[in-house]
Amino acid sequence: MELTNHSFEFYNIAFFGIILVRYFLVAGMTYWLFYSPFSQSFGKPRAHQLPTGTAIWHDIKLSMLSSAVFALAAALILSVYTAGGTALYTDPRQYGLWYLGVSYGVSLFLQDTYFYFTHRLFHHPKLFSWLHQGHHRSRHPTPWTSFAFDPLEAVVQAIFLVGLVFVLPLHFITMIAVLTTMTIWAVLNHLGPDRLPPLFPHHWLGRWLIGPAHHSIHHLRYTVHYGLYFTFWDRLLGTEDIKYTQSLKNLRPPENN
């Protein structure tokens, strides 16, 4: 697998277009599936408050700024890679096929850990207005909120991805898988708590994964639920809402006798 060597400016423009198109496709399609009148014909009316056009436009503007930040990070990574300065590799046999899955899991855990502690730091009263207030203008988030980082917050999150490719050997396929997971998970987390079947959080694995019901609470109560993928750190450090488990039990479908 050979990558053509282009200028940093070329990479920056190309990645900005790719990231922006990806955002509009994924967020737009998900919004249409779960929030349009079309979606209402497949189930009962939703209790989740519908967003205003102003709120959606605010999220889109922040997401465009975030796209610019992540495009810069991606251009930097690829420019340094072509100069031989990252741990990215292209031959899957270099570390073995088993390592593709292991490095993917390690990447998600490291990103979740980084996100938890930086996210919690962003909520410090002296930092919140600078780093995270824009994202929380959406108290009832939608898929459009999924990439709506404040510019400085986007920089902090992009730093993780840049640092990751220098310290952990990653195949390009693994890196793409991590970015795809981040995109899909962020969109799902910002669905309303009533957009997915209530069954999801109740199986044994679901309790350890963050979904829309879990993350929606964070947008209403800023002092809980800081994770990205897993509930591990929230459970371990006492930032999971004590009412969350009980609320899930109340959502549990009645058992058949």
Side-chain angles (χ1 to χ4, degrees):
M1 178 179 177
E2 295 291 336
L3 295 178
T4 305
N5 193 355
H6 292 290
S7 67
F8 176 84
E9 291 76 13
F10 174 86
Y11 289 138
N12 187 27
I13 294 171
F15 278 118
F16 178 68
I18 292 170
I19 294 170
L20 202 58
V21 168
R22 180 197 65 180
Y23 166 72
F24 278 106
L25 282 177
V26 176
M29 286 296 296
T30 308
Y31 184 83
W32 180 76
L33 284 173
F34 288 94
Y35 285 81
S36 69
F38 166 81
S39 68
Q40 304 300 317
S41 63
F42 290 92
K44 63 181 181 180
R46 310 297 187 180
H48 184 63
Q49 180 173 326
L50 292 176
T52 64
T54 301
I56 291 176
W57 177 235
H58 167 79
D59 286 342
I60 290 176
K61 287 189 292 184
L62 279 185
S63 298
M64 292 175 70
L65 291 174
S66 297
S67 297
V69 171
F70 279 87
L72 284 170
L76 175 62
I77 290 172
L78 205 52
S79 296
V80 176
Y81 165 78
T82 57
T86 72
L88 290 168
Y89 65 97
T90 58
D91 185 357
R93 295 168 297 180
Q94 184 171 342
Y95 292 93
L97 294 178
W98 65 270
Y99 182 75
L100 296 177
V102 171
S103 59
Y104 171 74
V106 169
S107 297
L108 292 189
F109 177 75
L110 291 176
Q111 187 181 20
D112 183 71
T113 300
Y114 181 86
F115 186 89
Y116 174 90
F117 287 102
T118 55
H119 188 191
R120 191 169 178 178
L121 182 63
F122 294 158
H123 279 270
H124 189 282
K126 292 184 178 180
L127 298 177
F128 182 75
S129 62
W130 291 90
L131 292 164
H132 201 47
Q133 189 173 39
H135 183 77
H136 272 284
R137 284 185 61 180
S138 296
R139 286 181 57 79
H140 299 281
T142 70
W144 299 110
T145 317
S146 60
F147 207 49
F149 297 119
D150 294 64
L152 289 177
E153 179 181 7
V155 170
V156 173
Q157 299 304 335
I159 286 173
F160 170 82
L161 296 174
V162 173
L164 184 66
V165 301
F166 285 97
V167 299
L168 183 68
L170 291 175
H171 192 279
F172 272 93
I173 291 177
T174 306
M175 189 66 183
I176 292 171
V178 170
L179 295 174
T180 302
T181 302
M182 180 177 69
T183 299
I184 294 174
W185 214 286
V187 169
L188 291 178
N189 282 351
H190 289 90
L191 290 175
D194 54 359
R195 301 285 154 171
L196 293 178
L199 180 62
F200 162 76
H202 299 295
H203 58 70
W204 70 268
L205 181 59
R207 293 184 179 277
W208 292 97
L209 299 177
I210 291 174
H214 190 276
H215 189 70
S216 292
I217 295 173
H218 174 72
H219 276 261
L220 297 174
R221 294 186 56 211
Y222 296 176
T223 58
V224 294
H225 296 193
Y226 296 107
L228 176 61
Y229 302 122
F230 314 114
T231 61
F232 170 77
W233 288 112
D234 280 313
R235 286 174 173 237
L236 182 65
L237 299 180
T239 53
E240 185 166 76
D241 186 0
I242 59 175
K243 297 181 180 179
Y244 176 66
T245 302
Q246 185 59 46
S247 68
L248 293 183
K249 290 180 180 179
N250 293 337
L251 287 172
R252 190 192 300 270
E255 298 181 358
N256 295 324
N257 295 327

